[in-house]
Amino acid sequence: MYRNITVHTLHVELTVMANDKLYTLPKLPYDYAALEPYISKEQLTLHHTKHHQAYVTGANAIFEKLDKARKDKADLDIKATLKELSFHVGGYNLHNKFWENLAPAGKGGGGNPKGELAKAIDEEFGSFERFKKEFTLGASSVEGSGWAILSASATTHRLLINQIEKHNVNVYPGFRILLVLDVWEHAYYVDYKNDRAKYIEAFWNLVNWDAVNKQFITHLKK
Ligand SMILES: [Fe+2]
């Protein structure tokens, strides 16, 4: 039985067609060409329909393998299976976040942080410029493939920049993810080749600060 699942109620919403047990690729909240000139139609189309889709397929295949093994009472390499599952589910969830925290430049994307988030950034980092500098350095120095993340502690509400390697290494349990930047080469190679720094610079024109602020306000209420 299929039903509509709203990932969360933000300014930007991803409506995911999902059945009760498996993942499906969400629709983007904008057209494939909408993020140009910073992310091209070709780049975004590939990223969404091939790479994000691969994590949908990968996660579902593992759940199907788990279901079958349990039904057949068969043994599995549990360690390897769980590691692989963590990779695919991490990839699936982080890409959902990434699409949500982007918007077309000048139409919700770019500019400065807003509301409570702006205050918290000033308090934690001293200024938006300092935050941008630290986040940019965090993104440019992720080893290999991974993500730069802005998150907030569930305990102290302090903001933290962290690096997730691959999709699942160096995750901070209990930290709410507010903003993500995909720095896998598959995210930028069509447009920027191996120039990750140029891609990171372009990213600031697309950040949907309204959506990120709403994430933060939701976090504060918990
Ligand atoms: Fe990606």
Side-chain angles (χ1 to χ4, degrees), residues 30 34-39 98 101-114 128 131-132 135-136 179-181 192 197-210:
Y30 30 73
L35 303 183
E36 289 183 340
Y38 302 106
I39 296 176
F98 188 48
N101 67 220
L102 300 180
K107 295 176 187 167
N112 290 347
K114 298 175 182 178
F128 176 49
F131 160 74
K132 250 175 100 169
F135 190 93
T136 297
L179 170 70
V180 304
L181 170 57
Y192 300 99
K198 204 169 169 193
Y199 162 69
I200 296 168
E201 201 182 315
F203 163 75
W204 296 112
N205 295 289
L206 300 172
V207 178
N208 184 340
W209 288 113
D210 191 37

Side-chain angles (χ1 to χ4, degrees), residues 182-198:
D182 188 341
V183 290
W184 281 60
E185 279 194 350
H186 74 219
Y188 58 88
Y189 202 82
V190 170
D191 293 338
Y192 300 99
K193 298 296 178 276
N194 63 340
D195 194 345
R196 187 188 283 186
K198 204 169 169 193

Side-chain angles (χ1 to χ4, degrees), residues 44-80:
L44 187 58
T45 306
L46 275 173
H47 197 177
H48 181 242
T49 63
K50 301 295 181 192
H51 296 285
H52 196 181
Q53 177 64 49
Y55 305 121
V56 173
T57 307
N60 288 344
I62 296 163
F63 279 115
E64 281 163 2
K65 190 166 83 171
L66 282 168
D67 287 346
K68 187 170 186 312
R70 287 165 186 166
K71 194 171 158 224
D72 297 345
K73 296 187 169 43
D75 288 333
L76 273 179
D77 182 344
I78 290 292
K79 184 181 175 188

Side-chain angles (χ1 to χ4, degrees), residues 138-212:
S140 58
S141 62
V142 171
E143 285 181 12
S145 299
W147 299 78
I149 310 278
L150 173 66
S151 61
S153 162
T155 312
T156 64
H157 295 318
R158 273 187 80 151
L159 296 177
L160 176 81
I161 295 168
N162 58 294
Q163 298 172 319
I164 292 180
E165 292 173 12
K166 296 188 279 186
H167 299 309
N168 51 347
V169 178
N170 296 341
V171 172
Y172 286 59
F175 279 64
R176 186 185 184 92
I177 293 175
L178 307 174
L179 170 70
V180 304
L181 170 57
D182 188 341
V183 290
W184 281 60
E185 279 194 350
H186 74 219
Y188 58 88
Y189 202 82
V190 170
D191 293 338
Y192 300 99
K193 298 296 178 276
N194 63 340
D195 194 345
R196 187 188 283 186
K198 204 169 169 193
Y199 162 69
I200 296 168
E201 201 182 315
F203 163 75
W204 296 112
N205 295 289
L206 300 172
V207 178
N208 184 340
W209 288 113
D210 191 37
V212 182

